[in-house]
Amino acid sequence: MTSPLLHVSAVETFYGNIQALKGVNLEVNRGEIVSLIGANGAGKSTLMMTICGSPQARAGAIVFEGHNITRMPMHEIARLRIAQSPEGRRIFPGMTVIENLQMGASLDNLKFFKQDVEKVFAMFPRLKERQAQRGGTLSGGEQQMLSIGRALMARPKLLLLDEPSLGLAPLVVKGIFEAIKKLNEEEGLTVFLVEQNAFGALKLSDRGYVMVNGRVTMSGSGKDLLANPEVRAAYLEGGHHL
């Protein structure tokens, strides 16, 4: 059996003396969309940031494509072609759309820059229309498209998406989820998605994990988790806790 692209094993992460992740185990196989759902403050974003190297895990191991990246600095992890669209988008507001995309491009792949920009514009035509506009003047949905587009410029083997639907109108969310699905189906891109929008995330995903208070408490196919009464009660019917 082939080994997973990303393997997280017994990971513990702390902020000072406060333990945010408590022995997290999960894996993402090549070509999958895997989602991590849970209430606000469950530790989802902390796991995403720990995979990227800031903060670093205090215990456990994170292995990507056979490389143990647990103690690697962020820039070395990025060089392995793990790209993140972080929570809150974090684009460069004073830079134009095209300049933001340049910031995401990998130095190793600059020869593909024009081709990669065209690919991002084909996926998000709105960005093409706005390419000379400063990032800070875009709508929330456009900024999210730009954040994902910037991550794609690194030609990632693994795309980490942290709350891509946060604060966006349902129609915009639908468009972004459709773009993620298309990337996965047409390019075979592997996606690890952290979402509070449990329904949208699980519907999109091959598999999912549920996180509660820094621990993974449940896992299964997207379909099975959508049908699970505990998941439905906690995340799909207005509740917040398992």
Side-chain angles (χ1 to χ4, degrees):
M1 196 178 143
T2 54
S3 58
L5 183 67
L6 177 74
H7 184 69
V8 175
S9 172
V11 161
E12 298 185 7
T13 300
F14 290 76
Y15 293 113
N17 293 325
I18 297 163
Q19 187 168 4
L21 299 179
K22 302 163 184 172
V24 172
N25 296 294
L26 59 76
E27 53 190 44
V28 179
N29 297 311
R30 202 177 297 275
E32 281 189 311
I33 299 177
V34 174
S35 60
L36 177 66
I37 65 166
N40 205 3
K44 305 184 303 298
S45 292
T46 299
L47 176 62
M48 200 67 102
M49 293 189 297
T50 302
I51 291 166
C52 290
S54 177
Q56 288 190 340
R58 204 179 284 184
I62 302 167
V63 176
F64 175 73
E65 261 198 333
H67 300 272
N68 188 329
I69 63 171
T70 321
R71 302 275 174 267
M72 269 190 194
M74 286 180 80
H75 67 276
E76 283 183 24
I77 293 171
R79 203 169 283 152
L80 293 173
R81 289 168 60 193
I82 297 177
Q84 184 187 20
S85 170
E87 185 182 9
R89 308 188 258 281
R90 296 195 214 151
I91 57 156
F92 298 102
M95 290 184 177
T96 64
V97 164
I98 202 83
E99 287 167 344
N100 267 276
L101 294 176
Q102 282 172 331
M103 294 301 287
S106 157
L107 290 175
D108 305 332
N109 294 315
L110 285 180
K111 61 178 179 288
F112 300 114
F113 180 76
K114 200 168 183 312
Q115 184 185 331
D116 291 346
V117 166
E118 286 310 317
K119 201 185 279 184
V120 170
F121 285 165
M123 178 165 295
F124 300 121
R126 190 74 60 81
L127 294 182
K128 187 171 188 174
E129 295 164 22
R130 306 269 194 271
Q131 59 183 297
Q133 208 170 306
R134 291 187 192 278
T137 66
L138 301 176
S139 71
E142 289 162 353
Q143 288 188 14
Q144 186 60 66
M145 290 169 200
L146 182 54
S147 178
I148 294 171
R150 185 179 64 187
L152 291 173
M153 291 297 292
R155 299 190 145 219
K157 292 178 180 176
L158 175 64
L159 178 62
L160 304 177
L161 296 175
D162 194 349
E163 301 284 9
S165 76
L166 196 64
L168 300 181
L171 200 62
V172 177
V173 172
K174 186 171 181 278
I176 283 171
F177 278 4
E178 280 169 2
I180 295 164
K181 186 81 176 159
K182 194 174 175 192
L183 270 171
N184 173 258
E185 286 175 351
E186 293 181 8
E187 313 262 332
L189 181 63
T190 308
V191 180
F192 182 41
L193 171 70
V194 155
E195 257 299 339
Q196 278 189 65
N197 176 351
F199 181 76
L202 292 174
K203 210 169 162 219
L204 185 70
S205 299
D206 300 292
R207 293 187 306 110
Y209 292 89
V210 178
M211 183 172 265
V212 179
N213 296 328
R215 289 187 171 87
V216 169
T217 57
M218 210 181 289
S219 65
S221 71
K223 207 182 240 176
D224 288 349
L225 288 174
L226 273 174
N228 182 294
E230 283 181 78
V231 173
R232 292 188 73 81
Y235 302 110
L236 306 177
E237 291 164 8
H240 294 291
H241 304 288
L242 280 181

